[in-house]
Amino acid sequence: MNIKEIKLHQLLMKMKTPFTTSFGTQQDRHITIVEAIDDTGRSGFGECVSGEDPLYSEEFMDASIIAMKKYFAPIVIHEEINHPDDVWEKFKPFKRNNMAKSAIEGAVWDLYAKQNDMTLAEAIGGKKEKVDVGVSLGLEDTDELLLEKVKEKVDEGYKRIKVKIKPGRDVEMIRRIRDRFGDIPLMVDANSAYTLDDMETLKALDEFNLMMIEQPLAAGDLIDHAKLQREIKTPVCLDESIDSYEAARGAIELGSCRIINVKVGRVGGITQSKKIHDLAAEHDIPLWCGGMLEAGVGRLHNIAITTLGNFILPGDTASSSRYWYEDIITPEVVAEDGIVEVSREPGIGSTVDFRKMEQYLQKTESITEADTVDMIFYD
């Protein structure tokens, strides 16, 4: 394929309700939609999922935009790309910046699928026609408010409920959920809020027959998670610690987890997600696809990757209406009784609706020149 132009559509979208985790509360969401345009005028779309601040990871949106403009977009413009897997090889000299890389690569994947009249799921190698999805619930001001949210999502039929926890909002809060809702599929996500000093609290969670506890300890850590997993019955799931294929291999070899959450942006794109998928399948480590408060484009990329066989557990790809008053795609993502049907339309399966996007648009930048990127390599 020959990509002649890449556009960066910078949006500011307001979520329906604030979303609170152990590291803060978010309602305004900065999102960049990447549009890759070939020489026939056809477009493919990716989404950059960096946060506004370097809290979830070291990457943040302003830096991602610079990286896409200066490095990653110019690298793919007017280059002969035979397959989207080639993009990762072109990006390889540049360290990290995985969310920026993933956004550009994702647009190339969508464009490639459309050029070949395939769904993105088919282009990736996925087989499923439907995927199970769960829902992620942030911390509320009170347990009573959280219980109301859980009831709402249980009634809507989601296949798994995930709730955020942090020190002081953990064991008793989960006890109240179990007491009220019984043995629903339930997991907790700590977003790195604990240390090994909290071992007794984390052991106490074993009482509740949770599907998993996600990223209880420091982001990037593998060693302490291995120690923790040996001490608790609840499966540890790693999120922030799995930022590459190499990290996934290390976690599996050390026994740091029994489950892995794959976020396409966090690991650098679809190509790396596929590699992690295959590695985990070899070692009988089940996967699920986590969410990054995406708009519709990123949500559809998540659905596509979830069609691979070892994505066994329900992911975080809830309906668009869970987060947005109006998403930027038509049709929007809809989960019915915890199931999303995979579109049979080419590419991501929905149209990016520029009329809808206009209400959120802050700025669009166009990159058309394959500028030379000077690289300095140090001994």
Side-chain angles (χ1 to χ4, degrees):
M1 68 181 74
N2 183 25
I3 296 170
K4 69 172 186 177
E5 182 180 10
I6 286 180
K7 292 182 177 181
L8 305 180
H9 303 286
Q10 298 170 42
L11 315 179
L12 178 59
M13 298 179 69
K14 191 176 189 68
M15 299 172 65
K16 278 184 171 180
T17 57
F19 192 82
T20 300
T21 69
S22 62
F23 50 73
T25 298
Q26 186 169 22
Q27 187 164 17
D28 292 332
R29 180 83 172 127
H30 290 265
I31 290 170
T32 297
I33 301 298
V34 176
E35 180 181 7
I37 306 169
D38 69 12
D39 48 13
T40 71
R42 186 187 285 111
S43 292
F45 295 92
E47 180 173 332
C48 186
V49 296
S50 302
E52 185 177 2
D53 303 305
L55 297 172
Y56 172 80
S57 74
E58 76 282 1
E59 199 168 356
F60 59 101
M61 186 58 74
D62 288 348
S64 294
I65 290 170
I66 292 170
M68 288 188 286
K69 287 167 55 179
K70 186 173 181 179
Y71 300 109
F72 305 131
I75 284 173
V76 301
I77 289 175
H78 300 309
E79 285 285 318
E80 188 59 38
I81 299 172
N82 296 315
H83 190 275
D85 285 340
D86 299 342
V87 174
W88 178 259
E89 292 302 315
K90 293 179 183 296
F91 290 167
K92 218 170 185 179
F94 300 91
K95 302 299 183 285
R96 311 289 290 187
N97 293 282
N98 281 350
M99 295 177 189
K101 290 176 179 177
S102 175
I104 300 289
E105 188 216 61
V108 175
W109 269 103
D110 182 35
L111 183 58
Y112 172 83
K114 289 170 178 173
Q115 288 177 339
N116 289 276
D117 197 28
M118 306 167 70
T119 67
L120 180 57
E122 290 170 335
I124 291 169
K127 305 295 184 184
K128 299 174 192 172
E129 296 182 357
K130 299 178 180 180
V131 297
D132 289 345
V133 295
V135 67
S136 178
L137 299 178
L139 287 162
E140 298 289 341
D141 290 339
T142 66
D143 290 355
E144 288 73 20
L145 287 172
L146 179 61
L147 290 169
E148 291 176 13
K149 293 288 186 181
V150 173
K151 182 181 187 307
E152 176 185 295
K153 298 310 171 187
V154 168
D155 290 346
E156 290 175 9
Y158 282 101
K159 301 297 186 184
R160 178 268 289 152
I161 304 295
K162 176 169 86 171
V163 297
K164 301 288 186 176
I165 61 171
K166 66 179 182 179
R169 300 289 304 281
D170 40 45
V171 176
E172 292 308 313
M173 184 175 75
I174 299 305
R175 189 186 310 280
R176 294 190 67 181
I177 294 173
R178 277 287 184 235
D179 287 347
R180 180 165 176 183
F181 297 101
D183 198 27
I184 60 170
L186 180 66
M187 62 171 285
V188 296
D189 182 8
N191 287 117
S192 306
Y194 297 85
T195 72
L196 289 181
D197 291 339
D198 300 301
M199 181 68 78
E200 293 309 310
T201 297
L202 297 172
K203 281 184 177 180
L205 292 169
D206 283 341
E207 172 188 347
F208 304 114
N209 190 31
L210 299 172
M211 297 174 68
M212 69 192 86
I213 177 170
E214 185 181 357
Q215 197 68 40
L217 308 179
D221 170 75
L222 299 179
I223 294 173
D224 283 355
H225 279 102
K227 293 176 182 177
L228 174 65
Q229 184 65 95
R230 289 194 293 269
E231 295 293 325
I232 66 174
K233 297 176 183 177
T234 305
V236 170
C237 170
L238 289 183
D239 176 356
E240 290 96 322
S241 288
I242 307 298
D243 56 11
S244 65
Y245 171 86
E246 290 75 20
R249 184 165 61 85
I252 292 170
E253 291 190 9
L254 289 170
S256 306
C257 62
R258 296 179 191 158
I259 298 169
I260 290 175
N261 165 356
V262 173
K263 290 179 178 172
V264 177
R266 190 191 66 231
V267 303
I270 288 172
T271 296
Q272 293 303 294
S273 297
K274 291 193 303 171
K275 284 188 64 179
I276 293 170
H277 168 272
D278 295 347
L279 173 72
E282 290 172 14
H283 293 274
D284 296 319
I285 301 290
L287 303 180
W288 57 281
C289 182
M292 291 287 287
L293 305 178
E294 295 93 346
V297 172
R299 206 158 287 276
L300 291 167
H301 279 266
N302 290 350
I303 291 168
I305 200 71
T306 307
T307 63
L308 295 175
N310 196 42
F311 281 88
I312 295 168
L313 301 170
D316 277 344
T317 312
S319 298
S320 295
S321 60
R322 157 83 177 95
Y323 298 100
W324 313 112
Y325 291 104
E326 185 174 43
D327 208 340
I328 61 170
I329 55 170
T330 301
E332 297 186 359
V333 173
V334 176
E336 294 186 355
D337 294 323
I339 295 173
V340 172
E341 293 196 14
V342 181
S343 173
R344 303 309 303 164
E345 296 298 316
I348 56 176
S350 291
T351 300
V352 174
D353 191 326
F354 285 87
R355 180 194 60 81
K356 291 182 179 180
M357 197 162 70
E358 182 66 31
Q359 65 186 304
Y360 307 117
L361 187 63
Q362 304 286 294
K363 183 179 183 181
T364 293
E365 296 184 82
S366 175
I367 303 100
T368 58
E369 296 297 325
D371 296 325
T372 300
V373 179
D374 295 324
M375 292 183 286
I376 301 174
F377 295 95
Y378 297 94
D379 293 331

